[in-house]
Amino acid sequence: MQWETVIGLEIHAQLATRSKIFSASSTQFGAEVNSQANAVDLGMPGVLPVLNIEAVHMAIKFALATNAEIGKRSVFARKNYFYPDLPKGYQISQMALPIVGQGTVEVTLDDGVVKTVGLTRAHLEEDAGKSVHDLFHGQTGVDLNRAGTPLLEIVSEPDMRSAREAVAYARKIHSIVRYIDICDGNMQEGSFRCDANVSVRPVGTETLGTRAEIKNVNSFRFLERAINFEVERQIDVLESGGTVVQETRLYDADNDETRSMRSKEEANDYRYFPDPDLLPVVVEDSLIEELSQSMPELPEARCGRFVSEFQLSEYDAGVLTADRATADYFESVLATSGASAKLVSSWIGGELFSRLNKDGLELPESPVTADRFSGLMSRIHDNTISGKIAKQILDHMWGSDADVDAIIDREGLRQISDSSEIEKMIDDVIEANPSQLAEYRQGKEKLLAYFVGQVMKASRGKANPGQLNEMLREKLKG
Amino acid sequence: MHKDTIAQMRQNLKSGAYSSVELCETFLQRIESSNPALNAFISVMGESAMDQARAADKRLASGDNAALLGVPIAHKDIFCTEGVRTSCGSRMLENFAPPYNATVVSKLDAAGVVCLGKTNMDEFAMGSSNENSYFGPVANPWNTAHVPGGSSGGSAAAVAARLVPGCTGTDTGGSIRQPAAFCGITGIKPTYGRVSRYGMIAFASSLDQAGPMATSAEDCALMLDAMAGFDERDSTSIDEPVDDYSVGLDKPLDGLKIGLPKQYFTQDLAAPIAASLQAAIAEYEKLGVTFVDIELKNQHLAVPAYYVVAPAECSSNLSRFDGVRYGYRCEDPVDLEDLYKRSRGEGFGREVKRRILIGTYALSAGYYDAYYIKAQKIRNLISQDFTDAFKEVDMILGPTTPTPAFSLGEKTSDPVAMYLNDIYTIPANLAGLPGISLPCGTIDGLPVGLQLVGNYFSEQRLLNAAHRFQQATDWHRQVPADFA
Amino acid sequence: MAVDAKIVAQVAHLARVEIDDASVAGFATEMTNVLDLAGQMDEVDTSQVEPMAHPLHAVQRLRPDVVTESDQREAFQSQAPAVDGGYYLVPQVIE
Ligand SMILES: [Mg+2]
Ligand SMILES: [Zn+2]
C-alpha cells in the first residue's frame, strides 16, 4: 500500500516581552531559580492577572505578517489540569475566540516550489514552569521562573505532506517571528518549540488517519528526524494489522525515536471556560492601522526588492533575506561601504558565514559588526587591499576590535599600486629568471602565472593584481 | 464608647474626647470577654492594634486628617494581610501568612484605621450560616442558638455585638447582606468592580465583591469611601470616578421611585417579614418615596443559575490549593496524585468539596453546555430583567432573606434548603448590581433585613435612601441585650 | 440528572480531591439534588440568548510592558511546605 503522510504543527513562540503576560515579573532567561516568580506567577491566593499590552501587539503583528484574521474580540479561557509546574491548576489560554484567526504562509521548498500552508489560528497563553527530576533524591523540584511567560501558540492546518515540508514551514514561521521581532527564536532555550501532529493514510483517501502528537523537539534537524521516525512507525503498525493510538509521544534525540508518554495517557478533560478574572480583549481598527504602519518589510518583499534593486540572484537574495539580522547587516554594509551588492553578498554568504559557523555563532553575536565589516568592504572596493589580503584581515578583525585600516597599517598590508614600485619588482623577477623568460617568449604563455606568482611573492601579496598582470604582460613582450 | 458610630468616633478622636488607644483597648476587652461565646474572630491582633492606635494618636495630635484615623475595624479573614494569618476559614490556610496585603486592606490602612483582627467566615466564603468554618461556627449575638448568616458571619456578629464598629465583608451571593440582615446591621455590596478584588481570596471571580459592614448606612459610607476605587492590579476593577458616599447622605427622598417586585412579595415570604417590610414602605412613603409594582420574571432561576456558575468558577479558583507552594500538605504523600488528593481532601471541608465537585461536573465534557452555558444565559436574562426595571424605577425594595436567622444545625443536612436562603440576594450578584441590607424590624427578638438594589454605580443613592430611613427609625441602634 | 458513586469518583479524580468511601453516597445525593435544582433552568428557552460571563460590558485593560517586581523568593517560600535550594519540592514525577 502507498501511504500519504499528513502533518500539522503547533508552534509555541515565546514572545519577546520584558515582563510576563499577566504580571510585572521579568522574563529574562537563566535567572536564579524561582527568583522571577512573583505572587501572580506563583498563583498565590487572591492575586489577579492583568494583560501585557506588548503581548497583544505582538500577536497582532503576527496576524499582519501572515495575512491572518485578527480576532477583534478575543477571550481568555482557563485550561484546567493539575501539574506541579502549573501553579494555579489551570493555564490561561484562549479557546473559542483566539486573537489570531485563519491565515496563510508561503513556504519555498527545496526544489523551489512555493507551497501555501494554512494557519488555523494563533492564540496567546502563559507558559508553565519547569520541573527538575534529577536534582533531588526521590523528589521533583519546581522552578516557576518561566511560569507566566507569554506564548503565541501558532497552529497550522494539516497541510504538510513530508517531514521536509514540515521543517520548511517551521523555518518559515521562525523567520517571520524573528523578522517582526516578536520572538528571539532560540530553540535551545525553548523560545521556539514545535509539536508535530503526524498521521498517515492510504494515498487517494480523504479522511485523516489517527494522529500522534510529538512533543519535545528542540531543533529543526530533530523535527525532521522525529517525524520520519514516527511516519515509519505508524506505517509499520498499520501494515502489520495494528491501529495507531491517539497519544502524545516524546522525541528522544539520543535514540532517535519517539516514545509514548504513558503518564499522560489518561483522557484529559480540561474543562475550558472563560477566565472570569479577565475581560474580553477588544482590538480597535486604529490599533491595527498603527501596528501595520510599524511592520517591517517581510522576507518575500525584501527578497524581491534585493533582486530588483541590487540585481542579486534569486538564490543570493533568498539567503540574505531568510533572516532579518542578515538582511539588515547586508543593507547596512552596502549603504556605508560603497562596495557592490555582488561583492558584499558574496563576502557575507562566504567568508563571514563560514567563520560564524565555525565558531557556532549567530550573526548578531558576530565579533565583526556591520560597521567594521563595511570598512573591510570599502578597502576592497577602493583597491587598498586585494580579496586575498582581505581574508587575512578579516581573521585579524575576528580576534580583536581593531578596525580595518589600523590592521592594514599595523601589518603593512596596504596594496601596492605605485607603478614604479611594481615595475621594479617585475624587473627583479625577470632578471632572476632568464630561462623562463626565454621559454615564455618562445610561446609558452602559461608561464605568465609563474611570473605573477613570483612578483606577488616578492610583494608579500600586496601588489595590485590587475596592475601587476597588465604591466607584466608588457614587460614580458620585451 | 463602644456604642458610638464610626462617624461619632471620628469626631471624638479629633476633639480628643477619647484616644484611639482608649477606644481600641475598650474593643479589645470586649472581644476578649465576648468572643468565646460568639467565635466571631479567628485572629485577634491585640499587639499590632495597640501599636497602630498609639501611632494614630500621635498623628491625631499633629492634626493629621486621614479619614478614618484611629478608628478600629476588623477584616473578614478572606482579605490577605501581610504577615498575618489569612485562613479564609479553612484548614487549607490555617498557617498561611501572605507576604502581601489585599488592596482593600492597603486602602483602609491608608485611611488610618486600626485593625483589631480577622473575622470568622464560612470556609472560602461558601455558606449562608457560618457553620462551614474550620474554626467553628459563629453564634448570632441576638440569640446564640441561631446562626449569624454567612459567609461574612463573623463580621456581622462582631459588629452587632459591638466588638468592633465596622468590618469588611465579601458578597458572592449575599454574603454581606444576608448576615447583615440576620444580625441587625447594615451592609452594602457595591457594584461589581467598584472595590478591588486584589488580595481577596477568590470564591467565584465574576460574582465576588467586597463591601463594608457597620451599624449604620453612614458608617458604611465612610468605610466605602476608603475602600472603593480603581485598582490597576484587578482587570475587573472599574476605572470610573468614585462618588463621595458620605456626601449626600441627607439628600431628601422626594421623587424617589422604588419598585416592588411582585416575585418578592408572595406567600413564600414569612408573614412577619412581609409585615416589617410593609411598615418600612409606609415609613418611606412618609419620606416622599413613591412605590410601583414591577416584574422580575426570571428571579426564581437565580438560585439555580448561581449554583452552577459559582461552583464552576470556584472549582477552578480553588485548584491552586494543591499543597505545593503554600497551605496544607498531607503527611507523607506516596506520589504526586496522593499529594494532591489528600492535601485537598483533608484541607477542604465538606461544603467546599461539594461545590468543587459540582463545579467540576458542570464544566466537564458533555455537561458544559447544559449547565455552565445555560446558567450564563439565564444570568443574562436576569440581568436584562433589572435593566428593564431600572427604566421605570430608581431602585428596588424587597426582603434580604425569606426568614430571620435560623437555628444552628437546622439546615446543615439539606444543602438545597440552605441555598434557597439566598433567593433575594443572589440576583444582584448575577447582574453585578449594588445592594444594601438594613435592619427594619425584629421577629421573636431576631432582626429583619430590608434590601435595596440599585442600578450600576448607584451606591451613593442607596446609602442615602438607607440613611434617611435610619434617621427616621431606630432599628439600627438596637443592640443585642447580652452585648449592650 | 442522578449522580452515582462512579460519577462522584470520576469527578473527584478530575478535581484531585480525596473523598472517603463513607461520604461518597452523601455527595452523590447532594450533587443530584443541586443538579436537579439547576435543571429548573430548562423551563426557559434560551436558544436566542447570549451567555453572560461578566456583569458589566467592560473590556480588558492592558498593562504597560514593564518589570516592577523584584526577587521575593524568601518571603514566598517561607509559606511553602517543602523547598530545597530555591525549588519547590513534590514527590518524584516520572515522565
Ligand atoms: Mg496545544
Ligand atoms: Zn499551548
Coordinates of all heavy atoms in Angstrom, one line a residue, chain B residues 149-195:
Chain B
G149 N -25.7 34.0 59.9 CA -25.7 34.1 58.5 C -24.3 33.9 58.0 O -23.3 33.8 58.8
G150 N -24.1 33.9 56.7 CA -22.8 33.8 56.1 C -22.7 34.2 54.7 O -23.7 34.7 54.1
S151 N -21.6 34.3 54.1 CA -20.4 33.8 54.7 C -19.7 34.8 55.6 O -18.8 34.4 56.4 CB -19.4 33.4 53.6 OG -19.0 34.5 52.9
S152 N -20.0 36.1 55.6 CA -19.4 37.1 56.5 C -20.0 37.1 57.8 O -20.3 38.2 58.4 CB -19.4 38.5 55.8 OG -19.1 38.5 54.5
G153 N -20.2 35.9 58.4 CA -21.0 35.8 59.7 C -20.2 36.4 60.8 O -20.7 37.0 61.8
G154 N -18.8 36.2 60.8 CA -18.0 36.7 61.9 C -18.0 38.2 61.9 O -18.2 38.8 63.0
S155 N -18.0 38.8 60.8 CA -18.0 40.3 60.7 C -19.3 40.8 61.2 O -19.4 41.8 62.0 CB -17.8 40.7 59.2 OG -16.5 40.5 58.8
A156 N -20.4 40.1 60.8 CA -21.8 40.6 61.1 C -22.0 40.5 62.6 O -22.5 41.4 63.3 CB -22.8 39.8 60.4
A157 N -21.6 39.3 63.2 CA -21.7 39.1 64.6 C -20.9 40.1 65.4 O -21.3 40.6 66.5 CB -21.4 37.7 65.0
A158 N -19.6 40.3 65.0 CA -18.7 41.2 65.7 C -19.3 42.6 65.7 O -19.2 43.3 66.8 CB -17.4 41.2 65.1
V159 N -19.8 43.1 64.6 CA -20.4 44.4 64.6 C -21.7 44.5 65.4 O -21.9 45.5 66.2 CB -20.7 44.9 63.1 CG1 -21.5 46.2 63.1 CG2 -19.4 45.1 62.4
A160 N -22.5 43.5 65.3 CA -23.8 43.5 66.0 C -23.5 43.5 67.5 O -24.2 44.2 68.3 CB -24.6 42.3 65.6
A161 N -22.5 42.8 68.0 CA -22.2 42.7 69.4 C -21.4 43.9 69.9 O -20.9 43.9 71.0 CB -21.5 41.4 69.7
R162 N -21.1 44.8 68.9 CA -20.3 45.9 69.2 C -18.9 45.5 69.8 O -18.3 46.1 70.7 CB -20.9 46.9 70.3 CG -22.4 47.4 69.9 CD -22.5 47.9 68.5 NE -23.7 48.7 68.3 CZ -24.8 48.3 67.5 NH1 -24.8 47.1 67.0 NH2 -25.8 49.1 67.4
L163 N -18.3 44.5 69.1 CA -16.9 44.1 69.4 C -16.0 45.0 68.5 O -14.8 45.0 68.7 CB -16.7 42.7 69.1 CG -17.6 41.7 69.8 CD1 -17.2 40.2 69.7 CD2 -17.7 42.0 71.3
V164 N -16.5 45.6 67.5 CA -15.8 46.4 66.6 C -16.9 47.3 65.9 O -18.0 46.8 65.6 CB -15.0 45.5 65.6 CG1 -15.8 44.7 64.7 CG2 -14.0 46.4 64.8
P165 N -16.6 48.5 65.5 CA -17.7 49.3 64.9 C -17.9 49.0 63.4 O -19.0 49.3 62.9 CB -17.2 50.8 65.1 CG -15.7 50.7 65.2 CD -15.4 49.3 65.9
G166 N -16.9 48.5 62.7 CA -17.1 48.2 61.3 C -16.2 47.1 60.9 O -15.1 46.9 61.5
C167 N -16.6 46.4 59.9 CA -15.8 45.3 59.4 C -15.9 45.2 57.8 O -16.9 45.7 57.3 CB -16.5 44.0 59.8 SG -15.7 43.3 61.3
T168 N -14.9 44.6 57.3 CA -15.0 44.3 55.8 C -15.7 43.0 55.7 O -15.7 42.1 56.5 CB -13.6 44.2 55.2 OG1 -12.8 43.3 55.9 CG2 -12.9 45.6 55.2
G169 N -16.4 42.9 54.5 CA -17.1 41.6 54.2 C -16.9 41.4 52.7 O -16.5 42.3 52.0
T170 N -17.4 40.2 52.3 CA -17.4 40.0 50.8 C -18.8 39.3 50.5 O -19.3 38.7 51.4 CB -16.3 39.1 50.3 OG1 -16.4 37.8 50.9 CG2 -14.9 39.7 50.6
D171 N -19.2 39.5 49.3 CA -20.6 39.1 49.0 C -20.5 38.5 47.6 O -20.3 39.2 46.6 CB -21.5 40.4 49.0 CG -23.0 40.1 48.9 OD1 -23.3 39.2 48.0 OD2 -23.8 40.7 49.6
T172 N -20.7 37.2 47.5 CA -20.7 36.5 46.2 C -22.1 36.1 45.8 O -22.5 36.1 44.6 CB -19.8 35.2 46.3 OG1 -18.5 35.6 46.7 CG2 -19.7 34.5 45.0
G173 N -23.0 35.8 46.9 CA -24.4 35.5 46.6 C -25.3 36.1 47.7 O -26.4 35.7 47.9
G174 N -24.7 37.0 48.5 CA -25.5 37.6 49.6 C -24.7 37.6 50.9 O -25.2 38.0 51.9
S175 N -23.4 37.3 50.8 CA -22.6 37.1 52.0 C -22.3 38.3 52.8 O -21.7 38.2 53.9 CB -21.2 36.4 51.6 OG -21.5 35.0 51.4
I176 N -22.6 39.5 52.3 CA -22.6 40.7 53.2 C -24.0 40.9 53.7 O -24.3 41.1 54.9 CB -22.1 41.9 52.4 CG1 -20.6 41.8 52.2 CG2 -22.5 43.2 53.2 CD1 -20.0 43.0 51.4
R177 N -25.0 40.9 52.8 CA -26.3 41.4 53.0 C -27.1 40.4 53.9 O -27.8 40.8 54.8 CB -27.1 41.6 51.7 CG -26.5 42.8 50.9 CD -26.9 42.8 49.5 NE -26.2 41.7 48.8 CZ -26.6 41.1 47.7 NH1 -27.8 41.5 47.1 NH2 -25.9 40.1 47.1
Q178 N -26.9 39.1 53.7 CA -27.7 38.1 54.5 C -27.2 38.1 55.9 O -28.1 38.2 56.8 CB -27.6 36.8 53.8 CG -28.5 35.7 54.4 CD -27.6 34.7 55.2 OE1 -26.5 35.0 55.5 NE2 -28.1 33.5 55.5
P179 N -26.0 38.0 56.2 CA -25.6 38.1 57.7 C -25.9 39.5 58.3 O -26.2 39.5 59.5 CB -24.1 37.8 57.6 CG -23.6 37.9 56.2 CD -24.8 37.7 55.4
A180 N -25.8 40.5 57.5 CA -26.2 41.9 58.0 C -27.6 41.8 58.5 O -28.0 42.3 59.5 CB -25.9 42.9 56.9
A181 N -28.5 41.2 57.6 CA -29.9 41.1 58.0 C -30.1 40.3 59.2 O -30.8 40.6 60.1 CB -30.7 40.5 56.8
F182 N -29.4 39.1 59.3 CA -29.6 38.2 60.4 C -29.1 38.8 61.7 O -29.5 38.5 62.8 CB -28.8 36.9 60.1 CG -29.6 35.9 59.3 CD1 -30.7 36.2 58.6 CD2 -29.1 34.6 59.2 CE1 -31.4 35.3 57.8 CE2 -29.8 33.6 58.4 CZ -31.0 34.0 57.7
C183 N -28.1 39.7 61.6 CA -27.5 40.3 62.8 C -28.0 41.7 63.1 O -27.5 42.4 64.0 CB -26.0 40.2 62.7 SG -25.4 38.5 62.8
G184 N -28.9 42.2 62.3 CA -29.4 43.6 62.5 C -28.4 44.7 62.3 O -28.5 45.7 63.0
I185 N -27.5 44.5 61.3 CA -26.6 45.6 61.0 C -26.8 46.0 59.5 O -27.7 45.5 58.9 CB -25.2 45.2 61.3 CG1 -24.7 44.1 60.4 CG2 -25.0 44.9 62.7 CD1 -23.2 44.0 60.3
T186 N -26.0 47.0 59.1 CA -26.1 47.5 57.7 C -24.9 47.0 56.9 O -23.8 47.1 57.4 CB -26.2 49.0 57.7 OG1 -27.2 49.4 58.6 CG2 -26.5 49.6 56.4
G187 N -25.1 46.5 55.7 CA -24.0 46.1 54.9 C -24.3 46.4 53.4 O -25.5 46.2 53.0
I188 N -23.4 46.8 52.7 CA -23.6 47.1 51.3 C -22.6 46.3 50.4 O -21.4 46.3 50.7 CB -23.5 48.6 51.0 CG1 -23.8 48.9 49.5 CG2 -22.2 49.2 51.4 CD1 -24.0 50.4 49.2
K189 N -23.2 45.7 49.4 CA -22.4 45.1 48.3 C -22.4 46.1 47.2 O -23.4 46.3 46.6 CB -23.0 43.8 47.8 CG -22.2 43.1 46.7 CD -23.0 42.1 45.9 CE -23.6 42.8 44.6 NZ -22.7 43.1 43.6
P190 N -21.2 46.6 46.9 CA -21.2 47.6 45.8 C -21.3 47.0 44.4 O -21.4 45.7 44.3 CB -19.8 48.2 45.9 CG -19.3 47.8 47.3 CD -20.0 46.5 47.6
T191 N -21.4 47.8 43.4 CA -21.4 47.3 42.0 C -20.1 46.5 41.8 O -19.1 46.8 42.3 CB -21.3 48.6 41.1 OG1 -22.3 49.5 41.4 CG2 -21.3 48.1 39.6
Y192 N -20.3 45.4 41.0 CA -19.2 44.5 40.7 C -18.1 45.4 40.1 O -18.3 46.1 39.2 CB -19.6 43.4 39.8 CG -18.4 42.5 39.4 CD1 -18.1 41.5 40.2 CD2 -17.7 42.7 38.2 CE1 -17.0 40.7 39.9 CE2 -16.7 41.9 37.9 CZ -16.3 40.8 38.8 OH -15.3 40.0 38.4
G193 N -16.8 45.3 40.6 CA -15.7 46.0 40.1 C -15.5 47.4 40.7 O -14.5 48.1 40.4
R194 N -16.4 47.8 41.6 CA -16.2 49.1 42.3 C -15.1 49.0 43.4 O -14.4 50.0 43.6 CB -17.6 49.5 42.9 CG -17.6 50.8 43.6 CD -17.5 52.0 42.7 NE -16.3 52.2 42.0 CZ -16.0 53.2 41.2 NH1 -16.9 54.1 40.9 NH2 -14.8 53.2 40.6
V195 N -15.0 47.9 44.0 CA -14.0 47.6 45.0 C -13.0 46.6 44.5 O -13.5 45.6 44.0 CB -14.6 47.2 46.4 CG1 -13.5 46.9 47.4 CG2 -15.5 48.3 46.9

